[in-house]
Amino acid sequence: MIPFALTLLILLPLLGAFVTLFGARNGRQARWTALGFSLGTLGYGLWICFDFIASGGFGRGLFDFSYVESAPWIPSIGITYALGMDGLSFAMVLLTLIIFPPAILFAFSEHHELPKFFAFLLAMEAAITGVFLAQDFFLFYVFWEAVLIPMFFLIHGWGGENRRYAAMKFFIYTHVASVVMFVGFVAMYMQYAAETGVYTFDMVAIGRFLSSHPEFKDFQTVAFLLVFFGFAVKMPSFPFHTWLPDAHVQAPTAGSVILAALLLKMGGYGLIRIAVTMLPEGAKVWVPLMLVLGVASMVYGALVCLRADDLKRLIAVSSVSHMGFVMVAVAALNSIGIQAAIFQMFAHGLISAMLFMMAGAIGHNVGTRKVSELGGINAKVPQIGAFTMFAFLASLGLPALVGFAAEFGVFVSFNAAFGYLVAIPLITVLATAAYYLWASQRAIMGPLNPKFEEAEIPDLKPFETTALSALAALVVLFGVLPYLFMDYVGPFSAHLAGLFAGGVIP
Amino acid sequence: MNEVALASAPVAERHADAPPATAKGWVPFVAFALPFALLVGASMYLLRSAELLAFSPQLVLIAAAMVFPLAPRRIRSNKYLALSASLAILASLALVAVMLVGDVFARGPLFLLGAPSLTIAGGSLKIDAFALTFDLIFLGAGLLVAIASWSNEIQRTTYQGVYFMLLLLTLVGATIVASAASLITIFLGLELAGISTYAMVAFVKTNKLASEAAMKYYLIGSTSTALVLFGLSYLYGVTGSLDIETISRRLAGVSASDGGVVVAIAFLVGGFGFKMAAVPFHLWAPDTYTGAPSPVSALLAAGTKKMGFAAAFKVIVVGMVAARAEWSVLFGLLAILTMTIGNTAAVRQTSFKRLLAYSSIAQAGYILVALSIAGAGGRAGDTAVAAGIFHSLTHMVMKSGAFILVGLFVALQVGEDIEDLRGLRTRAPFTTFALIVLMLSLVGFPLLAGFWSKYYIALAGIEAGGYYWWLVAALLLNSAYSLYYYARVIRVAWFEEAPKGAPELHEPWHLKLALILVVGFVLLVGLFPEPFFVLSQAAAQALF
C-alpha cells in the first residue's frame, strides 16, 4: 500500500472541492468535475478496501489498526495527526464511498451556483471520511465539526422555504452537542494524563488504557454520559431528534441524502468506537438508558410516521426510528449486537439514500411531496413509482433486501440480551410496514388523483436511474448475501464483545 | 470622480483658502534619513558591544523617530512616511527575530548576544525571551498600524511626521516595559508609551469625538500612572529594592498580610488594570477606542493593552510571587467581571467600532484568567503564563486586523455601524472573508488562532484544578456568549442583502496587504500553533 494512503483518501475529495469551486466556470463543468472526483475517490477507496480485506486487516485486535499514519501536530498539547482503519471504519468508509457518486448524480438537477454546491458536497466527503479514519481525539473533533459547516451552507443556500431556521437549528443543536462531546474527550485526556503522566489525545493509547482498567468505573460513568450526549444528538436519538425533520425537509435532495446516509452514521460510529469500546464500564452502567432511548426512538418514530403528510418528513422521522435499532443493538453489548448495529448503519445508509432521492424526485417532478396531494402517480411515472416502492419495501425490512438482514441481527441480539422485550422492536416493524404501505397506497400505487389526469409529469432522467439502480443492486446484493459484509465486521464485533466477557445478562 | 477618489483628493482642492500643499513629502525625509541611518549603523558597528546589540531594536526605532519630525508641515500624501515607518519597524522586527531564533529554536544563547539573557544599562533592562516575545507583539502591532496609517484621516492633519514619531516612540516605550528589570524602568516605559498615545489619539484635531476621547484617555491615564507609581513606591518601601528579581526574593520573607504589601497589590492592580482596560477600570476604553482614528485604536487595543499585561507579568507575577494567593483571587474576580461586562455591553452595540472596543475589554478578561491561574504555581502556573503570552500574541493580530477593517470601512465610506455592513459579501468579497475569519477567530472557532489561545488558557485552568474550574467555566461560557455578537456581524455581512444601489467597493492595496498578513497569520497559527506554543513557553520560562 502506498504511504499516506488514508490521507490521500481524505485529500482527494478536498482537492476536488477546490477544483470545482475555482475551476468550474459553469454548471455543466461543475457537475462532471464533481462526479469525476467522487468516482475517482470511489475507485481509489475500493482499492484500499480490497487491500484491507486481502491483507486480513479486519481480523486484527480491537485497537490494532491498518494503514496507520501518525505525525506530530501540536506536541505541546499532545495532539497528533493520526489516521487508521479497522473493521468498523472500513464499513463506514465503504458506505461513504458508495453513497457520494449517486448523491452527486442526483444533485445534477440543482439550479443556481452549482460550483459552490458541488464544492460543499465534496468537502463533506473529505470531512466525513476524516471522521471515520481519525485516531486522535482532537483530529476526530475537527473533522466532526468540519462536517457541520458545508451542511449548514447547503441547507441555507439551496434549501426550501424555511431553510434559514432549519439551518440555524441544525448547526446550533449539533454544535452544542459536539462541544459537550469534546468536553468528554478532554476529560478522558486528563484522566489518562493523571494516571500515566502522559499528555496525549491519541485514541488508541487512551482507549487501550481506559478499557483495560475497570477500576475507573465512576470516571467512566460520567465520561460516557458526556460523549454519549454528543453521539445521541447526532444519531439522532429521541428526545434529541427534533433538529432532524426540519433539517431534512428544508435541505436540498443531495444534502438530505448525505445527512441521512452518512451524518447520522457518524453518531453511531462514535457510539461504538468511543463510547462503548473505550468506556466499557460506563457502557455497562448506562445500558438501561441506551435501551430506553433506543426503544423510544423506534416507537416514537414509527408512531409519528403514521401521521406524517410530507414524504420527506415521513422518511426523516423513519430515520430516527431506524437509528433506534442501532442504539438497541449496541445496548445489547454482545457480538451479534455490534455486528448488527454496524450492518444496520450500512443498510440504512443505502436505503435512506434511495428514499431521499425518491422524495426529492417526486417533489421535483410532480411538484408536491405531500401524501394527501399525491395519488397513484405510479400510473404517470412508473419509474418513480417502482423505485419508491422498492425503497419503501427495503426500509420496512422485506426479506431478501438488506434491511431485513440487518434488522434480523438486531432482533437476535436484542433477544439474547433482553429476552421477551424483543416484542417491542417486532411491533415497531409492524408499525413501520403499516406507515410505508399506507403512504405508498395513498401516494404511489392507488387510484390516480384526478388532478394529475392531464398533467405532464416527467419521469426519472437517465442519470437518476443509474444512481438508483446502483444503490438498488447493492441493497439486493447485501440482502441476499449478507455474509459479504458481516464477515468483515465480525472479528471487530467479537473482540469488542470480549470486553464485556460477562455480558449484560450473565 | 467616484467617491473613493473624492475622499483621497488633496486637502487643498477642497479648501480653497488653505495654503498650497508641498509637492513631494519624501525628498527632505530621505535627505535626512539616509545619512542618519548610516551614522547609527556606523556607530553600532564601531562599538559592537553586546549591550548595544541587545538594545538595537529600540535604537533603530529611536533613530527613525528622531528623523520623522523633519517632514514638512503639510503633505499631500503620507504614503512615504508610512512606508518609512513600516521599514523602520520591519528592521527592528528583523533584529528581534534574529535574536529570538537563536534562543528559542536553536536552544542556544541569544544570537549575537551570547547568553540566554542579557542585563544591560546598569541592571535596568533585561533582554530575554520574554522581552523579545513581547517586542514581537508590539512591533507587529506597530507594523500593521503603520501600514494602516496611510489613510485619509491622518492625511488631513498637519505635522504628519510627528504622528509617526509618536508611533515609534510608543513602540519604544512598550518594548522598554517588556525588557524592564527595574521598577523605575517600567514606569518610564509606561509613561513614554502613554504620553505618545495620548497625543496620537488627539492627532486629528478637527475631530471633536477624537479630542474628547483623548481628553478622557489623558486624564484617566495620568491618574492610572499615579496609582502605579504609588504602588511601586510601596513595593520599594517593603522590600528596599527597585530590582524586580531582588524584590521577588525579599518579598518571600515578608508576611503577605503586611499592610505595605496589601496596599501595593491594590494600587498596582488598579493602575495596571487601567492600562489593561479591566473592569471596573475600563470606562475610558470604549469612548477612546471609538473616538480615536482607527489605526490609533488598533495600536491601543493591540499594543499598549499588552504593555499593561507585560508590566503585570513582571511586577505582580514575578515580583510579588510570594503573595500569589492574594492577587490570584483578585485577578480571578476581575477576570470574571471583565469578561462578563465586556460581552454584555458588546451585545447591545450597534456601532461596529464600539463593539470591537467592548470585545477588546472582554478579550483582556481572558488574559486576566491566565494571570489568575498563574498564581496557582507549579506546572499549571507556568502553562498559564505561557497561555497569557500566547493569547496576547494572537489577540494582537486579530484586533489589529479588526480595527484595520474599521479603517477600511471608513475609507470606503461604508460607515462604522454594523447595519452599514449589510450585504458586504457582494460588495467586497475579500474584505468579507477577512471579516469572517477574524470574527470567528475572536469567538474561538476551531482551527483558527483564537481557539488555541482559549484552549491553552482552559488547559492551564484544568491543570490547576480546585477553584480555577470556575474560571474555566466562566471562560467557556463567555466564549459562547460572545458568539452572539460576533455571529451578528457575520450574519449581516454575509447573509443580508446589500442596500439598493450600493456600489462595489475597491479596497486600497495597502490595507488589503495588511489584511492578507493578518488573515494569513490567523490561519497559520490556527493550523500549526506548535511553534508559537514553543515561543510562549520559552518566554514564560525566561520570566522566572
Side-chain angles (χ1 to χ4, degrees):
Chain A
M1 190 39 57
I2 60 175
F4 299 113
L6 297 181
T7 306
L8 215 55
L9 189 61
I10 299 175
L11 282 181
L12 198 51
L14 195 59
L15 176 69
F18 277 110
V19 168
T20 314
L21 183 63
F22 294 114
R25 270 184 300 267
N26 55 38
R28 212 176 65 89
Q29 284 184 353
R31 289 184 185 119
W32 292 103
T33 318
L35 184 66
F37 270 98
S38 69
L39 286 173
T41 314
L42 173 66
Y44 174 63
L46 282 177
W47 180 42
I48 296 183
C49 287
F50 280 123
D51 187 80
F52 182 76
I53 295 175
S55 63
F58 57 92
R60 299 164 70 168
L62 195 54
F63 293 105
D64 282 326
F65 290 89
S66 309
Y67 315 120
V68 172
E69 300 166 22
S70 183
W73 184 12
I74 306 171
S76 299
I77 305 185
I79 299 177
T80 33
Y81 174 83
L83 300 174
M85 182 187 266
D86 74 345
L88 172 62
S89 36
F90 155 77
M92 295 292 105
V93 168
L94 189 64
L95 181 66
T96 313
L97 295 167
I98 294 173
I99 293 290
F100 263 94
I104 289 183
L105 273 173
F106 248 85
F108 273 26
S109 55
E110 288 294 331
H111 310 294
H112 64 284
E113 294 210 65
L114 281 164
K116 285 206 186 94
F117 187 86
F118 286 107
F120 282 132
L121 273 184
L122 287 171
M124 281 212 295
E125 176 163 20
I128 295 173
T129 315
V131 168
F132 292 138
L133 294 174
Q135 293 307 321
D136 174 283
F137 277 118
F138 192 80
L139 191 64
F140 180 90
Y141 177 70
V142 166
F143 280 125
W144 183 277
E145 291 286 278
V147 170
L148 295 184
I149 301 158
M151 198 70 211
F152 171 82
F153 280 109
L154 278 179
I155 301 178
H156 199 282
W158 289 267
E161 281 278 308
N162 209 14
R163 59 184 185 273
R164 283 170 210 259
Y165 167 76
M168 267 300 167
K169 192 170 172 181
F170 161 76
F171 186 78
I172 295 179
Y173 210 136
T174 44
H175 180 64
V176 170
S178 311
V179 172
V180 174
M181 174 187 80
F182 187 62
V183 171
F185 290 166
V186 174
M188 290 162 79
Y189 163 85
M190 291 261 111
Q191 174 77 355
Y192 184 75
E195 293 299 323
T196 62
V198 177
Y199 285 87
T200 180
F201 271 106
D202 185 27
M203 275 163 84
V204 174
I206 295 182
R208 270 215 175 99
F209 178 80
L210 285 177
S211 61
S212 57
H213 286 241
E215 61 265 24
F216 302 127
K217 191 157 165 197
D218 297 324
F219 165 77
Q220 287 198 14
T221 310
V222 174
F224 185 89
L225 210 55
L226 286 172
V227 300
F228 179 75
F229 179 71
F231 302 135
V233 168
K234 199 74 177 177
M235 276 175 79
S237 161
F238 180 93
F240 310 116
H241 65 287
T242 49
W243 59 271
L244 188 70
D246 286 316
H248 263 135
V249 169
Q250 303 300 331
T253 309
S256 282
V257 168
I258 303 300
L259 181 56
L262 295 171
L263 263 66
L264 306 190
K265 312 304 175 284
M266 277 165 44
Y269 170 82
L271 183 65
I272 300 176
R273 167 77 79 217
I274 298 173
V276 172
T277 309
M278 299 187 191
L279 302 166
E281 293 301 314
K284 281 193 212 161
V285 168
W286 292 111
V287 158
L289 176 70
M290 286 200 280
L291 181 64
V292 166
L293 288 186
V295 167
S297 304
M298 291 188 325
V299 173
Y300 180 81
L303 290 178
V304 170
C305 282
L306 281 168
R307 289 229 38 178
D309 193 30
D310 184 341
L311 263 181
K312 225 173 174 187
R313 197 176 189 86
L314 184 147
I315 301 168
V317 182
S318 89
S319 286
V320 175
S321 184
H322 283 91
M323 290 308 283
F325 279 93
V326 175
M327 175 95 75
V328 301
V330 171
L333 291 181
N334 49 32
S335 175
I336 302 181
I338 306 292
Q339 245 182 323
I342 303 174
F343 197 26
Q344 169 72 342
M345 287 202 284
F346 186 81
H348 182 255
L350 292 176
I351 298 171
S352 65
M354 286 189 71
L355 282 170
F356 278 103
M357 287 175 182
M358 292 328 300
I362 292 177
H364 193 243
N365 292 8
V366 180
T368 175
R369 288 194 308 253
K370 290 195 185 306
V371 173
S372 52
E373 291 171 19
L374 293 167
I377 59 173
N378 189 48
K380 278 272 171 181
V381 277
Q383 282 186 326
I384 290 184
F387 278 114
T388 312
M389 271 315 292
F390 180 84
F392 279 179
L393 290 172
S395 186
L396 66 88
L398 193 72
L401 300 179
V402 70
F404 171 76
E407 284 173 14
F408 188 76
V410 174
F411 297 146
V412 170
S413 67
F414 197 99
N415 186 42
F418 305 114
Y420 59 85
L421 285 174
V422 74
I424 304 178
L426 287 172
I427 297 178
T428 312
V429 174
L430 210 62
T432 311
Y435 67 72
Y436 272 129
L437 291 174
W438 190 30
S440 69
Q441 192 262 340
R442 282 180 298 156
I444 319 283
M445 290 296 176
L448 184 62
N449 192 326
K451 73 180 184 204
F452 293 130
E453 205 72 48
E454 307 298 323
E456 280 287 320
I457 308 180
D459 210 339
L460 290 175
K461 303 210 189 57
F463 53 82
E464 290 169 350
T465 332
T466 320
L468 286 165
S469 311
L471 286 175
L474 287 171
V475 167
V476 173
L477 176 70
F478 286 108
V480 173
L481 304 171
Y483 70 85
L484 285 178
F485 183 87
M486 300 285 251
D487 279 356
Y488 303 115
V489 298
F492 172 81
S493 320
H495 289 304
L496 183 51
L499 277 180
F500 303 93
V504 177
I505 311 287
Chain B
M1 262 199 289
N2 65 28
E3 296 136 85
V4 176
L6 191 62
S8 61
V11 179
E13 287 183 32
R14 288 190 279 143
H15 299 289
D17 47 28
T22 47
K24 302 281 185 202
W26 57 270
V27 169
F29 176 76
V30 171
F32 283 106
L34 227 40
F36 212 90
L38 285 170
L39 194 64
V40 170
S43 44
M44 280 178 66
Y45 175 73
L46 288 171
L47 292 172
R48 256 181 309 188
S49 73
E51 286 214 357
L52 210 53
L53 284 169
F55 199 60
S56 59
Q58 284 88 341
L59 281 177
V60 168
L61 292 175
I62 294 173
M66 285 199 264
V67 174
F68 274 105
L70 299 169
R73 180 169 165 269
R74 201 181 268 284
I75 306 178
R76 186 176 58 187
S77 156
N78 63 5
K79 174 160 89 168
Y80 295 103
L81 286 178
L83 182 65
S84 322
S86 312
L87 285 174
I89 298 176
L90 266 175
S92 191
L93 254 177
L95 286 164
V96 170
V98 158
M99 283 196 274
L100 255 183
V101 163
D103 171 43
V104 175
F105 297 105
R107 299 257 170 251
L110 290 170
F111 188 63
L112 296 180
L113 299 186
S117 77
L118 198 63
T119 309
I120 62 176
S124 56
L125 289 173
K126 180 169 159 234
I127 313 290
D128 54 15
F130 177 84
L132 291 173
T133 309
F134 268 96
D135 284 358
L136 214 61
I137 296 177
F138 299 135
L139 292 171
L143 180 65
L144 291 168
V145 170
I147 297 178
S149 294
W150 172 23
S151 75
N152 304 318
E153 267 183 301
I154 314 289
Q155 265 166 195
R156 273 186 247 124
T157 62
T158 52
Y159 293 113
Q160 291 174 50
V162 176
Y163 172 87
F164 288 98
M165 177 196 80
L166 292 170
L167 171 62
L168 293 173
L169 287 178
T170 312
L171 297 176
V172 172
T175 52
I176 285 181
V177 169
S179 324
S182 151
L183 296 183
I184 290 293
T185 323
I186 291 196
F187 175 73
L188 279 175
L190 281 178
E191 272 296 81
L192 180 56
I195 293 177
S196 307
T197 43
Y198 302 152
M200 282 177 81
V201 171
F203 209 79
V204 185
K205 290 186 275 270
T206 50
N207 185 343
K208 278 207 187 139
L209 206 57
S211 302
E212 181 195 331
M215 204 58 192
K216 260 187 213 161
Y217 181 37
Y218 171 58
L219 288 173
I220 297 186
S222 309
T223 317
S224 79
T225 313
L227 291 178
V228 166
L229 200 53
F230 195 65
L232 292 177
S233 68
Y234 263 79
L235 206 51
Y236 173 63
V238 170
T239 55
S241 164
L242 286 173
D243 179 57
I244 294 180
E245 268 181 62
T246 319
I247 289 175
S248 89
R249 270 202 313 272
R250 291 195 188 162
L251 207 60
V254 177
S255 149
S257 56
D258 179 72
V261 174
V262 170
V263 169
I265 294 180
F267 277 89
L268 283 174
V269 169
F272 290 138
F274 274 113
K275 278 282 179 282
M276 303 178 212
V279 170
F281 315 109
H282 69 291
L283 293 164
W284 61 273
D287 292 325
T288 308
Y289 289 3
T290 316
S294 310
V296 179
S297 303
L299 185 64
L300 287 178
T304 57
K305 189 190 282 267
K306 308 300 177 289
M307 179 181 69
F309 283 110
F313 273 124
K314 283 207 139 126
V315 175
I316 301 184
V317 174
V318 177
M320 306 188 69
V321 68
R324 37 177 217 243
E326 279 71 29
W327 53 254
S328 183
V329 173
L330 200 55
F331 274 131
L333 286 170
L334 279 185
I336 297 182
L337 269 178
T338 309
M339 291 190 291
T340 317
I341 293 184
N343 282 324
T344 311
V347 163
R348 316 203 46 192
Q349 294 307 316
T350 48
S351 156
F352 183 49
K353 204 170 180 187
R354 216 174 166 80
L355 182 145
L356 286 180
Y358 277 111
S359 133
S360 296
I361 295 176
Q363 297 274 341
Y366 301 142
I367 309 185
L368 281 171
V369 170
L371 265 178
S372 176
I373 302 173
R379 193 200 147 98
D382 291 339
T383 315
V385 175
I389 298 174
F390 184 82
H391 189 53
S392 301
L393 179 60
T394 54
H395 182 248
M396 177 276 290
V397 177
M398 297 190 286
K399 259 308 143 49
S400 311
F403 277 110
I404 289 177
L405 277 172
V406 175
L408 183 64
F409 296 145
V410 167
L412 295 176
Q413 310 211 314
V414 170
E416 276 182 12
D417 282 348
I418 299 178
E419 280 307 309
D420 295 329
L421 301 178
R422 299 180 64 133
L424 203 63
R425 171 171 65 112
T426 41
R427 297 174 69 185
F430 171 72
T431 304
T432 317
F433 171 69
L435 178 71
I436 291 181
V437 169
L438 287 174
M439 294 293 110
L440 287 177
S441 182
L442 284 165
V443 162
F445 198 76
L447 284 197
L448 291 175
F451 170 77
W452 291 115
S453 45
K454 292 201 182 139
Y455 182 78
Y456 209 18
I457 299 175
L459 205 63
I462 297 175
E463 271 182 47
Y467 286 110
Y468 295 106
W469 277 103
W470 291 107
L471 274 179
V472 174
L475 178 82
L476 294 175
L477 283 172
N478 271 291
S479 222
Y481 192 14
S482 68
L483 177 65
Y484 185 76
Y485 57 86
Y486 290 125
R488 179 155 43 106
V489 175
I490 298 176
R491 182 173 53 82
V492 168
W494 182 269
F495 291 112
E496 304 261 332
E497 297 296 321
K500 291 251 181 314
E504 208 175 289
L505 302 167
H506 299 281
E507 305 97 334
W509 69 266
H510 64 289
L511 291 178
K512 224 171 178 169
L513 174 68
L515 285 175
I516 289 176
L517 287 175
V518 166
V519 170
F521 182 85
V522 167
L523 290 171
L524 179 73
V525 174
L527 284 172
F528 303 108
E530 184 63 15
F532 301 96
F533 281 141
V534 171
L535 183 66
S536 313
Q537 283 157 4
Q541 271 168 349
L543 191 54
F544 289 102

